Amino acid sequence: MIDIAIIGGGPAGQAAARQTLGAGLSTTMIDEQARPGGQILRQPPAAFAVKGWMAGRLYRPLRRLLAQTEADIRLDWRGGTSVAGIERIEDHFRLTLSGAHGGTLLARRVLIAAGCYDMPVAMPGWTLPGVMSAGAVQTLLKSQQVVAGQPIVLLGSHPLLLVLATQLLDAGAEVAAVLMPQTYGRMARAVLPYLAGAIFTPGPLIAAGAAMARLRRAGVPMMMGARPIGFTGDGRLEAVDYAWRGQVQRIAAQAAAVSYGFLPQSDLPRQIGAAVRWARPAGGWETVCDGAMRSSIPGLYVAGETTGVAGADAAMAEGEIAGIAMALDAGVRPPSGMARAQARRARLQPFIDLLRAAADPGEVWPQATPETLLCRCEDISVAQVEATMAQLSPMADASAVKHRCRIGMGLCQGRSCEHALVRRIAAARGCDPDAVTPFRMRFPARPIPIDEIIG
Amino acid sequence: MTHEVLIIGGGLLGCAAAWHLARAGLAPRLIEARGINAGASGQNAGSLHFQIERRFLEPGASGQGADIVRLNRLAIEEWAGLEEQLSRPLDIHMHGGLMLAESEADLALLASKVARENELGLPTQLLSGAEARDLVPRLAPHVCGAAWLAREGHANPRILADAFAHAARASGAVIETDSRLLDLHRDGHGWQATIEQAGQISTARARHVILATGHWTARIAARMGLNIPLYLAPLMMSVTDRTAPFLPYLIQHVGKRLSMKQTDDGNMVIGGGWASAPQRMADGMPDLDAPPHLVPDNLRANLAVAASVLPCLRGRSLIRSWTGMTCISADQLPVVGQVPAAPGLYIAAGGSMFTLGPLLARMLARSIIERAMPEEIALFSAARFAHLNAFVVPS
Amino acid sequence: MSRIADGVTRPAPITVEIDGAMVPAHPGETLAAVMIAAGAYRMRDDRSGAPRGLLCNMGTCSECFVWIAMDGAWRRRRACLTLVSEGLCIATQEGQP
Ligand SMILES: Cc1cc2nc3c(=O)[nH]c(=O)nc-3n(C[C@H](O)[C@H](O)[C@H](O)COP(=O)(O)OP(=O)(O)OC[C@H]3O[C@@H](n4cnc5c(N)ncnc54)[C@H](O)[C@@H]3O)c2cc1C
Ligand SMILES: Cc1cc2nc3c(=O)[nH]c(=O)nc-3n(C[C@H](O)[C@H](O)[C@H](O)COP(=O)(O)OP(=O)(O)OC[C@H]3O[C@@H](n4cnc5c(N)ncnc54)[C@H](O)[C@@H]3O)c2cc1C
Ligand code: FES
């Protein structure tokens, strides 16, 4: 039995590990990726040498933390391993692992720092190969050093697209256009209330300005108010359709990077029954915690995007808080540094609010047609889901719809479609998404090869 | 107002009973604490076990196998007519079922089982390993025999209770979800129920009450001072990713816990009576509302048994396991009908109630409509446990 | 060619087999990256036979579920989490190894 299991080797998990290891607690870190870093610093393969990798100033603290993590021989790092199950048994936890280090792991305390993922947004043609999440395009680039395709169109409401566009340009890729559905005016109105507070964290804002300038210099059309309609192609993506000044336009593309926001990874917290709430405004379920990152389950902590999408700096601060709290609760470390980390986290909030407001697609959400697949795993269309909902009582929850039409029954366990279903049920009922009971999250959180289980 | 019949529980039993009663013009009211099909009826394996199940062959279970065959024969006819009765497709597959043997001992057990079934009029056939592999070429080479029943099979548990509820409503039943029975006690010649619906407490009177409350039944009865010998059976199920159709049959094992089938969608559904571990309440009693924990060793063992007879499963991925609770009775046979110590109170639980549910719900409805237990199910009457309530003071 | 060449040093290439075609790869790369670099965007087919490709590249969506030949049998794995090795043989449709 180990003291601490940390799920996720991103900034949050790493910051927590610094604290727990420093306090002398045995700590195991599990991550599906081969190397630590998380999504923002998804590392290239160890056998690669990449000049100036993620050299930007904003990444410096993250790189320093990563270097410390990788150098710390006290850390039991288990890469290439998925956490498929989490249960509380009496006073400890049992994790079921799959992959390079499969089997079970018993731990006295667990931190879930599993990050977030790109919100899948159903729109016509979105299942065509070549249509990817912005995160997929970005991680192919920074980790695998591969351009996802070109010409590439970036589309969606999230300002992360600007960062991605510059990264693609730096890699020499042909960026055809950046299509953002909000107008400048709308975005300005959305962020205005938060600007004053965000002035203490100007780094990302300056970076965004620089990115826009870089796109202009490169001649990449950056179209605010261009509303993506859908994707077309024969067997793979060939073009992106969008509405621009009242007209439908088509732009050729081999790849598309879509970003309307991020959803917290919530499968493990929900599997073990930790309290979650609907994340605003992007949606999905964020795990509820107190000021020391304790979840509603004794001994279970959460940090980083799992608690609500807030960026890498917040993830680091929360990880540190969680690490200190775990040490405190284990009774091995005097409570130092907690207040400082909490203050650091609090200072970030205005910028986080600003980014969330800026990224919120609000009324410029893309439209699915009746034939659009909502559930990509089981191939369930919007029309099928609507027909099922119509047969059920309006009070029927997400699981009732799932049982009847198979939405969410596939390999991804509903990660791709559940948020959309919950929004639809809420809209039909005229209630808040928080009032809709979501799917019951089942073991395993990731598909496990049967031969691996049997051994 | 006094209801003729109040049904507690919107699982398969409750919904099917509601339909039969509604068709007879009794306009029952059904209350369900959560949603329709939210209990075992929506979580089960969907096996239609018509051969004598392995659990009846275990030491300790003596004569019950023969009793159950009588019921199974009726259940076969019930299922065969269901889609027509409810006039909608129900994913019912009665293409046959194989109970496998992997050893000489298995084979001997299988042979005596088949002989007994044939005596009782159930046309099971003993197949050699090669004959079994003719039916399912992917069966492992060491499978050395099987009992074949041409009308065994499986159905889709996710849609059946709904279909009954739908038909019941159309025939005049009132079905209310999110309505929980809090208390039930005698009131003159009938019953008075206290019901919580959306935070509102109300009472209802009824001449007859059916407790179609699955594994909750014993505890609800206990609160009324009644002893019903139903015991918790927390189980688990697993399902794999989809694969091209290759298995139209139900697969069971005579010597090991296994049930396995392929759904219309191509997923392999694997179970067979492996236990899960109930969550506990503060006082140590099992929590009947919370999903039990998976037991990793049992998951592994269940999949190992399945892959041992069907090695191609090793190439599949587990995409979901779930747990659910049902109950078995003291003698493993269903307990159906009026509780002698509580006239007007009916139950139906204990056993493979997916397989038997449509039949027993009809019988239960008949015993209310005809004011007498149908002959066919007399053996399964709750009256056989009347002695347990010998010291109950009627409330 | 979509591998970034400038400033990136990779180990000597190996070969993997994708739907019968021999494709170059570098040790350490994920199978998904190798496929995309080779222009093989299709990773599986849905139930209607329509092709599907990489969506999240982080193990969350399972859209990249390909078949990998292992010990004489096909096993399904997420291509975005699978590292390539010499002789790796994969298929985007279930077949015979
Ligand atoms: C694809 C992507 C790209 C992003 N790019 C940027 C960017 O450029 N700039 C920016 O500011 N923010 C970016 N973000 C936001 C980013 O998530 C945060 O800034 C930061 O990485 C959050 O840190 P974290 O520790 O909370 O989570 P993460 O960094 O996401 O780390 C979580 C880790 O948990 C692992 N994990 C999750 N579930 C399991 C499981 N079941 N079993 C095992 N391991 C698991 C994941 O593999 C991951 O490595 C990006 C997010 C995504 C999803
Ligand atoms: C994992 C598993 C696999 C199984 N596999 C098979 C199989 O393959 N074949 C087979 O024949 N059988 C199988 N069974 C058994 C079968 O599922 C059950 O016997 C059957 O579904 C019972 O139906 P029911 O309607 O009596 O109970 P349930 O479906 O449990 O319904 C009872 C209902 O009562 C409601 N309720 C409870 N208390 C109250 C209250 N106070 N007020 C209002 N409502 C209340 C509950 O919410 C519930 O919806 C399996 C069971 C499980 C758990
Ligand atoms: S692309 Fe989503 S799991 Fe691989």
Side-chain angles (χ1 to χ4, degrees):
Chain A
M1 169 113 55
I2 56 163
D3 293 323
I4 308 285
I6 297 179
I7 305 170
Q14 294 174 54
R18 301 247 40 79
Q19 300 299 322
T20 56
L21 290 167
L25 295 168
S26 57
T27 303
T28 296
M29 182 181 281
I30 308 123
D31 198 300
E32 293 192 287
Q33 296 298 328
R35 305 184 70 189
Q39 301 306 345
I40 190 155
L41 286 193
R42 182 85 84 76
Q43 297 198 68
F48 282 30
V50 180
K51 252 221 289 285
W53 182 74
M54 299 302 278
R57 210 164 51 84
L58 288 174
Y59 301 108
R60 209 172 289 157
L62 293 162
R63 285 205 318 274
R64 194 178 322 121
L65 177 62
L66 181 55
Q68 288 170 340
T69 303
E70 293 207 292
D72 197 329
I73 53 163
R74 295 168 301 180
L75 178 68
D76 173 24
W77 162 252
R78 302 200 187 171
T81 304
S82 307
V83 180
I86 177 167
E87 288 173 285
R88 194 179 148 80
I89 299 164
E90 287 150 19
D91 61 345
H92 63 275
F93 296 86
R94 178 172 60 203
L95 304 183
T96 305
L97 312 180
S98 164
H101 304 271
T104 55
L105 182 69
L106 301 182
R108 292 192 180 84
R109 293 190 162 69
V110 173
L111 169 66
I112 303 181
C116 60
Y117 60 104
D118 296 78
M119 167 164 45
V121 177
M123 49 202 284
W126 75 308
T127 54
L128 282 171
V131 180
M132 304 176 200
S133 72
V137 171
Q138 196 193 42
T139 47
L140 278 171
L141 196 63
K142 60 191 173 191
S143 167
Q144 298 292 313
Q145 303 292 315
V146 163
V147 173
Q150 49 188 338
I152 182 166
V153 172
L154 277 51
L155 60 107
S157 60
H158 203 285
L160 177 74
L161 290 171
L162 294 174
V163 178
L164 177 57
T166 58
Q167 290 170 331
L168 284 162
L169 289 174
D170 289 344
E174 182 191 346
V175 180
V178 180
L179 311 174
M180 295 188 75
Q182 347 39 345
T183 58
Y184 278 114
R186 181 181 176 280
M187 194 184 270
R189 271 195 308 281
V191 303
L192 208 58
Y194 307 101
L195 258 183
I199 213 87
F200 299 108
T201 45
L205 296 178
I206 296 168
M212 305 252 281
R214 172 97 168 78
L215 291 185
R216 235 184 341 265
R217 278 200 310 279
V220 174
M222 156 84 203
M223 304 166 83
M224 298 286 289
R227 298 181 62 160
I229 296 173
F231 308 95
T232 57
D234 183 10
R236 64 186 272 183
L237 177 67
E238 287 166 9
V240 179
D241 290 341
Y242 61 100
W244 175 245
R245 303 205 167 124
Q247 296 212 325
V248 176
Q249 310 270 339
R250 175 163 289 191
I251 182 167
Q254 188 184 34
V258 184
S259 183
Y260 283 90
F262 297 89
L263 306 177
Q265 295 275 13
S266 65
D267 38 23
L268 294 172
R270 286 162 61 190
Q271 198 183 94
I272 195 176
V276 297
R277 65 170 164 248
W278 184 254
R280 288 166 214 280
W285 304 95
E286 58 189 33
T287 306
V288 175
C289 61
D290 69 8
M293 315 314 294
R294 296 182 190 96
S295 78
S296 64
I297 308 246
L300 181 71
Y301 304 73
V302 283
E305 314 289 49
T306 306
T307 68
V309 177
D313 292 334
M316 272 193 295
E318 291 183 3
E320 187 175 335
I321 298 168
I324 295 171
M326 288 191 285
L328 275 176
D329 296 349
V332 294
R333 187 186 198 274
S336 89
M338 179 68 111
R340 212 174 48 236
Q342 285 170 328
R344 193 150 54 80
R345 172 65 186 83
R347 269 200 306 279
L348 296 167
Q349 197 56 41
F351 173 70
I352 294 165
D353 292 337
L354 179 148
L355 190 61
R356 288 179 180 170
D360 180 12
E363 75 279 9
V364 290
W365 198 268
Q367 295 299 309
T369 60
E371 306 80 51
T372 307
L373 296 185
L374 212 51
C375 169
R376 299 176 63 117
C377 299
E378 294 296 312
D379 306 353
I380 310 297
S381 68
V382 168
Q384 283 168 283
V385 171
E386 284 181 345
T388 306
M389 284 172 57
Q391 283 166 13
L392 287 167
S393 124
M395 290 314 290
D397 59 19
S399 291
V401 181
K402 164 176 166 172
H403 276 122
R404 283 151 185 97
C405 73
R406 296 182 65 80
I407 180 172
M409 278 211 176
L411 289 167
C412 86
Q413 289 276 27
R415 280 183 289 269
S416 296
C417 62
E418 184 197 36
H419 74 100
L421 176 62
V422 167
R423 282 182 230 269
R424 276 173 190 275
I425 295 174
R429 260 195 229 168
C431 72
D432 195 273
D434 224 5
V436 178
T437 308
F439 296 153
R440 187 177 278 170
M441 280 294 144
R442 305 283 194 188
F443 174 86
R446 302 289 185 271
I448 314 184
I450 287 194
D451 55 356
E452 186 188 311
I453 300 175
I454 299 174
Chain B
M1 160 178 178
T2 301
H3 301 285
E4 188 62 28
V5 186
L6 176 66
I7 302 171
I8 319 298
L12 175 55
L13 263 298
C15 293
W19 181 56
H20 290 295
L21 290 164
R23 281 200 306 168
L26 266 62
R29 174 179 176 192
L30 183 153
I31 60 165
E32 159 57 51
R34 299 175 294 168
I36 294 301
N37 213 27
S41 299
Q43 296 163 340
N44 66 66
S47 307
L48 303 180
H49 316 268
F50 300 132
Q51 303 190 37
I52 297 177
E53 286 176 68
R54 194 201 58 87
R55 62 192 175 100
F56 290 112
L57 305 172
E58 283 197 336
S62 47
Q64 295 97 320
D67 299 336
I68 206 83
V69 167
R70 264 185 267 274
L71 214 49
N72 288 354
R73 287 179 55 197
L74 296 173
I76 291 177
E77 301 311 324
E78 186 76 25
W79 278 97
L82 221 47
E83 289 190 335
E84 201 180 303
Q85 285 179 51
L86 290 167
S87 46
R88 61 156 88 185
L90 294 169
D91 295 359
I92 300 173
H93 301 277
M94 294 169 68
H95 306 307
L98 289 162
M99 190 177 285
L100 305 178
E102 279 184 292
S103 68
E104 285 305 313
D106 285 352
L107 213 49
L109 198 55
L110 215 49
S112 70
K113 183 186 87 92
V114 167
R116 191 137 65 106
E117 285 165 343
N118 291 350
E119 268 167 37
L120 295 160
L122 192 71
T124 35
Q125 279 169 268
L126 197 59
L127 305 184
S128 69
E131 286 167 326
R133 270 181 298 280
D134 284 343
L135 289 170
V136 184
R138 294 190 202 175
L139 283 177
H142 70 271
V143 169
C144 56
W148 164 254
L149 181 61
R151 297 179 81 190
E152 255 191 333
H154 54 95
N156 183 349
R158 291 181 286 109
I159 59 177
L160 185 61
D162 266 350
F164 277 117
H166 192 263
R169 275 203 186 96
S171 305
V174 174
I175 297 185
E176 294 160 13
T177 53
D178 300 293
S179 300
R180 180 179 294 272
L181 175 79
L182 296 182
D183 181 51
L184 183 65
H185 60 263
R186 272 217 83 79
D187 176 18
H189 290 301
W191 294 89
Q192 180 165 322
T194 309
I195 299 167
E196 183 189 350
Q197 190 171 22
Q200 302 282 338
I201 310 276
S202 63
T203 57
R205 301 192 74 256
R207 284 164 58 84
H208 306 274
V209 174
I210 300 179
L211 280 186
T213 42
H215 72 272
W216 288 269
T217 304
R219 200 166 289 176
I220 293 173
R223 274 206 297 267
M224 301 167 66
L226 297 170
N227 300 315
I228 313 282
L230 293 170
Y231 305 96
L232 201 59
L235 300 174
M236 52 161 265
M237 296 297 311
S238 294
V239 60
T240 73
D241 57 333
R242 293 189 305 263
T243 179
F246 74 97
L247 183 67
Y249 314 119
L250 172 68
I251 300 280
Q252 300 178 78
H253 197 299
V254 69
K256 295 174 184 163
R257 294 181 192 207
L258 176 67
S259 81
M260 174 157 60
K261 64 197 65 78
Q262 188 172 28
T263 67
D264 281 357
D265 296 284
N267 310 78
M268 299 297 297
V269 178
I270 302 167
W274 289 88
S276 53
Q279 297 192 37
R280 303 274 161 192
M281 299 189 301
D283 63 1
M285 292 293 279
D287 184 342
L288 299 187
D289 295 318
H293 287 300
L294 268 181
V295 177
D297 286 344
N298 286 355
L299 173 65
R300 193 175 312 119
N302 192 178
L303 296 178
V305 171
S308 151
V309 296
L310 206 55
C312 64
L313 276 177
R314 285 187 163 270
R316 305 253 62 86
S317 294
L318 176 70
I319 65 168
R320 198 161 46 251
S321 293
W322 67 92
T323 58
M325 285 184 273
T326 182
C327 55
I328 54 160
S329 69
D331 58 7
Q332 298 210 62
L333 297 174
V335 186
V336 196
Q338 188 161 224
V339 179
L345 183 70
Y346 296 77
I347 59 169
S352 293
M353 289 299 240
F354 184 70
T355 306
L356 299 174
L359 172 73
L360 292 180
R362 172 202 295 281
M363 296 292 170
L364 199 61
R366 262 180 61 194
S367 52
I368 291 177
I369 296 161
E370 298 168 6
R371 301 265 190 273
M373 183 87 172
E375 189 65 36
E376 298 93 312
I377 57 162
L379 267 176
F380 307 99
S381 159
R384 73 183 185 279
F385 294 117
H387 56 283
L388 296 177
N389 290 318
F391 309 102
V392 168
V393 180
S395 63
Chain C
M1 186 62 189
S2 62
R3 284 190 180 84
I4 300 169
D6 260 10
V8 184
T9 316
R10 299 178 169 82
I14 55 175
T15 315
V16 300
E17 188 183 330
I18 298 171
D19 287 334
M22 303 312 280
V23 172
H26 297 276
E29 287 182 330
T30 64
L31 184 49
V34 169
M35 293 177 77
I36 291 206
Y41 283 77
R42 179 178 132 221
M43 298 189 173
R44 71 176 186 98
D45 287 353
D46 72 16
R47 310 169 84 173
S48 70
R52 294 291 182 83
L54 186 89
L55 178 66
C56 75
N57 193 35
M58 54 184 282
T60 297
C61 73
S62 288
E63 283 286 14
C64 61
F65 221 38
V66 297
W67 272 272
I68 301 181
M70 292 164 92
D71 311 324
W74 289 114
R75 298 286 185 261
R76 276 190 110 177
R77 296 290 186 273
R78 288 168 285 172
C80 68
L81 292 181
T82 303
L83 303 187
V84 292
S85 54
E86 179 67 54
L88 186 71
C89 169
I90 74 123
T92 57
Q93 282 172 316
E94 192 165 13
Q96 295 308 309

